[in-house]
Amino acid sequence: LNVSYRGSPLSVEGTPRRPRDPRAGDRLPDRPVRADGRSVRLHELLARPGVHILLDRDADRLEDLAPGRFVTVHRLTSVPGLGVIVVRPDGYIGFLGRTAEASQLAAWLARVSAGGLCRRGRR
């Protein structure tokens, strides 16, 4: 569990950077959250293959992102804030930002060839 990919080109921190969170390249810690009207463990929520976009409760909607089948968007109603964390299929954080900036997120998805392959999940 001490493995980190902080130096990887697939580990990107948006601007402004999120304080107190794990950093891009770290494994996403498991914890209870509330999403889609139910309480669930974070790793259980991410059990489906693909990239997962975790939006804080008050984050902007990402209508311009054009989700498809390999990326699922989840709104964490138990997490206050405006931020976003994107979890790679291996459970490591690929992108995170204090605010959900669609342009920064789209650039990261394009970098990992997931742009346009998103699928709307729980919001």
Side-chain angles (χ1 to χ4, degrees):
L1 293 176
N2 286 333
V3 174
S4 175
Y5 297 102
R6 287 186 182 176
S8 167
L10 299 181
S11 300
V12 177
E13 300 210 8
T15 54
R17 187 174 173 269
R18 285 177 75 122
R20 302 178 318 271
D21 283 329
R23 294 183 51 199
D26 292 348
R27 180 142 174 86
L28 183 73
D30 194 17
R31 64 180 177 162
V33 294
R34 188 147 184 85
D36 196 31
R38 65 186 181 107
S39 294
V40 62
R41 302 273 326 163
L42 200 49
H43 286 186
E44 180 185 342
L45 186 66
L46 307 179
R48 183 181 342 196
V51 171
H52 294 267
I53 299 173
L54 305 175
L55 296 173
D56 290 348
R57 178 181 59 217
D58 304 313
D60 289 340
R61 298 177 77 80
L62 299 172
E63 290 90 2
D64 297 338
L65 199 54
R69 66 182 187 147
F70 294 115
V71 177
T72 305
V73 179
H74 308 275
R75 182 164 304 273
L76 304 181
T77 56
S78 60
V79 179
L82 302 170
V84 60
I85 297 177
V86 181
V87 184
R88 302 179 339 200
D90 62 1
Y92 282 80
I93 299 169
F95 177 86
L96 65 102
R98 183 181 290 184
T99 59
E101 296 289 332
S103 61
Q104 292 181 32
L105 185 53
W108 185 86
L109 289 169
R111 178 179 288 188
V112 298
S113 299
L117 300 177
C118 302
R119 174 176 127 357
R120 291 232 188 258
R122 299 172 192 102
R123 295 176 51 124

